[in-house]
Amino acid sequence: MGIAFNLKKVLDRKEWEMMTPSPITNATAHFTITDPSGEDKSIMLVAGASSIYRYDAHQDGWQQLPNSGIAGTFGAGSCGTFHCNGASGTATAGTTTTIATNLTLNRSIKGYKVRITAGTNAGEERIISSNTLGSNSVLTVTTPFSSAITTSSVYLLLTGRYWFFNAGTSAVGFSYYERALNTSTSRSVTGLQVSFGTEGRLCATWNNSDYSFSTGTVSSATATTLVSSSKTWTSSQWINYQVRIISGTGVGQLRTITANTANSLTVATWTTNPDTTSVFAISGNEDNLYLFGNNSTTVYKYSISGNSWTTLSPSVARGGAFAVGGGANWVSNVSDSIWTNESAIINGRRIYSFRGGASAVLDYYDIPSNSWVSLTYSPQMDTFTTGSCYDYDEDYIMISKENTGRLFRYIISENRLIPFSTLVYPNGVATVGDKMFTKVLIDGETIIRWVYVLGHTNTLLFRCMMIDKD
């Protein structure tokens, strides 16, 4: 039975609800990470290496998670992000409906997806209907693969990881929590500054596998190119996006785009050249994470596959430092037709970043051109500093202003900031670290969204239902 959703913007007031308080008092360097894919209704509250809690929005309850594996104290500038990709491996056996893995799964991952990335059935994705528990877990899928899984089949669980960056004055750390395995793994910090503080934001550029910016059929290809003759793209618009062969010859191959013309893409060498049977899809670059902060204009880019950091050298530098209360959100799903036009795509190419530091300045980093642009929006009056929090929600960036209780919506396609609501419950002393998140319920054609806000220097959690469109 569908949900009747009759909230009227003019008649119905926004009402804040008090939720179950967090297990710890929110403080400096505590931050939240949410899964925006809709696959899981939980968020992570990270307060330290051994102080990580999961909030379940379905149950309105909290539980503690394993140690993150990062040594030291989480300081100002600590931050995190979610990424859809989880554990991977090569099948040890299989059928058309099962995959024998080398993983130890001690929980059900029913409802999540598994993707075959190489070997037999490469490029195919299926929903997991069940899995055995313990070592060498066997996955069963809802719809049969086109042929039996073999020992050449390489699988990827789309169960997700929560990535943590630990800032500190004498050392930094980096790790991820593997949701399916309930384990944490440390990753490289080589290339990062040893001392990192003030404020930080970590940002991923991945798409849900059901969504792509462009699809098409290959007209021709060489070892490093792909041509789709019907396309009318703008030159260089797809640089640093990724292209995946989703069916036909070369299926399963994924490459980063290094250049494009009106109808061709340039990539690293194909293992198998696509041909006229090949269908492709272009999406965000799922190999990259971006780190902002440290009261600096410097941005670091992390390669997940290479476990390595590089420092960006933009062709146009940012006009000012990312300061306390700054934000960073990859914008990928604005519904406005100008943004979705694949011949001059805007979705997926920008990371919007309010500078913070008691300013009203908003910049965006343009990924294909590797350059910064400063925006003049309307009305550019309210400033943001210590305690300001941000969350991207399709057509909007939601903003919570310090510890004032005032919230805003930045309407991306209109370049306009509007008031949202005010949480009137008294707040504590403002602290750095992102403590706001959004969640969505989808029931058929009905979409209901909530924004959640954690109190500063207290344990309180509130939520407010949002009108879907303004």
Side-chain angles (χ1 to χ4, degrees):
M1 181 176 178
I3 296 173
F5 183 52
N6 299 314
L7 193 63
K8 304 296 183 184
K9 288 183 282 188
V10 176
L11 300 178
D12 295 284
R13 295 175 55 209
K14 296 183 177 73
E15 297 289 345
W16 286 92
E17 300 175 82
M18 181 178 287
M19 312 306 289
T20 300
S22 68
I24 55 172
T25 299
N26 296 306
T28 292
H30 296 188
F31 60 91
T32 60
I33 307 174
T34 186
D35 171 4
S37 70
E39 299 294 340
D40 194 293
K41 300 304 179 187
S42 64
I43 67 103
M44 301 299 166
L45 171 60
V46 182
S50 58
S51 186
I52 302 173
Y53 297 86
R54 173 182 178 266
Y55 173 75
D56 189 315
H58 276 165
Q59 305 300 326
D60 187 29
W62 296 84
Q63 66 184 136
Q64 191 165 8
L65 294 178
N67 190 302
S68 69
I70 301 177
T73 302
F74 279 58
S78 298
C79 51
T81 193
F82 178 82
H83 194 288
C84 62
N85 290 354
S88 62
T90 301
T92 58
T95 68
T96 57
T97 57
T98 62
I99 305 173
T101 76
N102 56 0
L103 302 176
T104 299
L105 299 175
N106 291 315
R107 57 156 289 184
S108 169
I109 55 173
K110 176 182 178 180
Y112 290 97
K113 292 180 180 179
V114 59
R115 176 190 297 160
I116 306 302
T117 59
T120 303
N121 298 319
E124 297 186 21
E125 285 186 10
R126 296 293 186 269
I127 296 173
I128 298 167
S129 61
S130 65
N131 59 274
T132 62
L133 301 180
S135 60
N136 302 317
S137 179
V138 177
L139 313 179
T140 301
V141 297
T142 57
T143 304
F145 291 103
S146 57
S147 60
I149 293 291
T150 72
T151 54
S152 73
S153 301
V154 179
Y155 61 85
L156 170 67
L157 301 184
L158 300 181
T159 47
R161 291 170 174 168
Y162 293 85
W163 291 80
F164 308 139
F165 172 69
N166 172 25
T169 56
S170 58
V172 295
F174 191 51
S175 71
Y176 63 80
Y177 169 72
E178 182 79 52
R179 186 157 62 186
L181 303 181
N182 193 35
T183 58
S184 294
T185 303
S186 291
R187 307 307 284 159
S188 173
V189 294
T190 301
L192 296 177
Q193 287 183 274
V194 173
S195 178
F196 195 102
T198 306
E199 186 76 272
R201 293 292 187 271
L202 191 65
C203 182
T205 57
W206 61 273
N207 285 97
N208 186 300
S209 60
D210 293 331
Y211 178 79
S212 58
F213 300 119
S214 176
T215 60
T217 301
V218 175
S219 302
S220 63
T222 69
T224 58
T225 64
L226 176 158
V227 176
S228 184
S229 58
S230 64
K231 299 299 184 181
T232 57
W233 299 321
T234 301
S235 179
S236 301
Q237 73 174 60
W238 294 122
I239 293 175
N240 283 324
Y241 288 73
Q242 285 187 319
V243 59
R244 186 189 309 277
I245 306 301
I246 57 175
S247 66
T249 301
V251 64
Q253 294 180 102
L254 178 66
R255 297 291 186 273
T256 296
I257 300 167
T258 57
N260 76 271
T261 66
N263 60 11
S264 70
L265 307 175
T266 300
V267 299
T269 304
W270 299 108
T271 303
T272 301
N273 286 6
D275 60 24
T276 55
T277 69
S278 306
V279 178
F280 67 89
I282 297 175
S283 61
N285 197 318
E286 65 183 47
D287 191 45
N288 293 153
L289 305 177
Y290 293 83
L291 177 62
F292 302 76
N294 202 32
N295 199 26
S296 170
T297 60
T298 301
V299 180
Y300 302 95
K301 184 168 75 170
Y302 177 73
S303 167
I304 295 174
S305 63
N307 187 28
S308 60
W309 291 93
T310 56
T311 302
L312 296 182
S313 298
S315 58
V316 177
R318 190 170 192 177
F322 181 106
V324 64
N329 299 97
W330 182 58
V331 174
S332 60
N333 199 19
V334 176
S335 61
D336 186 90
S337 59
I338 294 174
W339 284 70
T340 60
N341 175 17
E342 71 165 274
S343 294
I345 197 77
I346 303 178
N347 271 332
R349 67 179 292 156
R350 297 178 180 178
I351 299 175
Y352 275 70
S353 179
F354 284 86
R355 286 189 201 173
S359 80
V361 180
L362 171 59
D363 307 308
Y364 69 78
Y365 173 66
D366 187 71
I367 296 172
S369 65
N370 184 32
S371 61
W372 282 96
V373 176
S374 184
L375 286 173
T376 300
Y377 60 91
S378 176
Q380 199 163 352
M381 294 298 295
D382 279 281
T383 61
F384 305 102
T385 188
T386 304
S388 293
C389 303
Y390 308 82
D391 196 39
Y392 171 60
D393 181 40
E394 294 193 349
D395 287 318
Y396 316 107
I397 295 174
M398 298 297 299
I399 307 170
S400 174
K401 180 177 169 70
E402 296 105 43
N403 60 345
T404 63
R406 295 174 60 206
L407 273 76
F408 300 86
R409 255 182 172 172
Y410 173 69
I411 306 174
I412 297 166
S413 64
E414 298 177 11
N415 196 31
R416 184 164 64 97
L417 188 71
I418 65 171
F420 173 75
S421 181
T422 298
L423 175 57
V424 296
Y425 196 93
N427 229 319
V429 176
T431 58
V432 298
D434 216 338
K435 299 176 177 71
M436 180 181 70
F437 56 94
T438 56
K439 283 295 175 187
V440 60
L441 168 67
I442 301 175
D443 181 41
E445 296 298 317
T446 302
I447 300 175
I448 305 176
R449 301 177 186 277
W450 287 272
V451 59
Y452 290 75
V453 177
L454 277 163
H456 291 270
T457 324
N458 60 46
T459 63
L460 299 178
L461 174 65
F462 295 87
R463 77 173 183 178
C464 182
M465 188 183 293
M466 301 190 289
I467 302 296
D468 187 44
K469 301 293 180 184
D470 285 294

